[in-house]
Amino acid sequence: MTKKEMVLRMAADNNGIILTKQLTEVGIYRSVLKDLEDEGKLTKVQHGVYVTKDGYADDFFLLQHRFPSGIYSHETALYLLGYSDRTPIRITMTFPQGTSSKRVKDEDIRPILISKNLDVGKTALYRNGNEIIVYEIERTLVDLIKPRYEADMEQLIPALKRYARNKNDINKLFEYAKLFGVEQKMHDYMGVLL
């Protein structure tokens, strides 16, 4: 099997997407990507990301690739998890404290910077066959009711109602609420809905 065939096979096994870092890991030079691009077998969609004619890399996957330390959160997570039908006007991602927010803001992402508990509730979600990192619904609901965040109530209240109806893990929800200091506020919201 030639290097080009290996790259195309790797892309086919990854929903038509190949990343330059994947090639580096297996010792294939990036020049192979350029050759395949010149032959019309791959298209560069952004730095380090190529797709085949049959491949598809959505905007959420591409943003995650550009900002790998970011986790989709807040209203964006509600949408990705199916708890809101409203496509986010502005993407919200949570980053570790110290991340330079200028580059993030230049991409029209609303950055939330936190110093601890970044990985609490972090999970992988698959969209169009591509993995993205998002907070699970319990963490998302807790983040939305934190005092420093002004949540869109038109999205929060229906999401809380849907969560209550779906018989999700209420214990986990309250564990997270306690961890983030919003236990009473969560009791107030959920007390009305349960």
Side-chain angles (χ1 to χ4, degrees):
M1 181 181 293
T2 68
K3 301 275 188 202
K4 289 181 186 178
E5 290 170 339
M6 286 176 62
V7 170
L8 292 174
R9 167 82 44 98
M10 289 170 68
D13 292 344
N14 194 31
N15 297 307
I17 298 172
I18 189 74
L19 307 175
T20 54
K21 72 177 184 177
Q22 291 173 302
L23 296 186
T24 304
E25 290 170 359
V26 295
I28 297 175
Y29 293 109
R30 295 178 185 194
S31 60
V32 176
L33 290 173
K34 179 71 174 128
D35 293 343
L36 287 168
E37 187 178 15
D38 291 344
E39 294 171 14
K41 294 180 179 173
L42 288 179
T43 303
K44 183 177 183 177
V45 291
Q46 78 177 32
H47 180 74
V49 181
Y50 293 78
V51 295
T52 62
K53 290 177 184 173
D54 300 328
Y56 176 70
D58 74 2
D59 291 339
F60 291 103
F61 173 79
L62 294 173
L63 279 174
Q64 186 90 74
H65 183 265
R66 258 180 278 174
F67 303 104
S69 66
I71 301 167
Y72 288 107
S73 60
H74 299 78
E75 287 89 358
T76 304
L78 282 183
Y79 172 75
L80 291 170
L81 295 167
Y83 279 79
S84 173
D85 297 331
R86 193 184 304 171
T87 305
I89 295 169
R90 189 169 184 208
I91 303 296
T92 304
M93 293 179 88
T94 299
F95 295 90
Q97 191 74 42
T99 300
S100 172
S101 61
K102 182 186 177 342
R103 197 173 129 235
V104 174
K105 287 178 182 176
D106 287 346
E107 292 287 336
D108 201 29
I109 296 171
R110 180 181 182 184
I112 306 295
L113 303 175
I114 62 172
S115 59
K116 59 183 181 177
N117 299 318
L118 181 71
D119 292 335
V120 172
K122 182 170 93 170
T123 189
L125 177 75
Y126 291 86
R127 271 180 63 87
N128 304 311
N130 301 312
E131 182 183 89
I132 58 174
I133 304 301
V134 63
Y135 282 126
E136 59 193 359
I137 189 59
E138 290 83 6
R139 168 70 187 260
T140 299
L141 294 173
V142 166
D143 283 345
L144 286 167
I145 66 167
K146 287 180 183 174
R148 289 160 121 213
Y149 188 83
E150 293 180 22
D152 180 350
M153 297 309 267
E154 290 180 16
Q155 290 186 68
L156 175 60
I157 300 303
L160 285 166
K161 287 179 182 177
R162 186 180 220 169
Y163 182 85
R165 275 194 317 268
N166 288 348
K167 304 291 187 228
N168 288 296
D169 191 348
I170 296 290
N171 290 332
K172 184 190 285 187
L173 178 69
F174 283 104
E175 284 174 28
Y176 287 174
K178 184 176 183 179
L179 177 67
F180 289 99
V182 293
E183 188 175 18
Q184 186 56 52
K185 196 169 182 181
M186 186 60 77
H187 272 290
D188 294 344
Y189 276 113
M190 296 306 284
V192 172
L193 300 173
L194 293 176

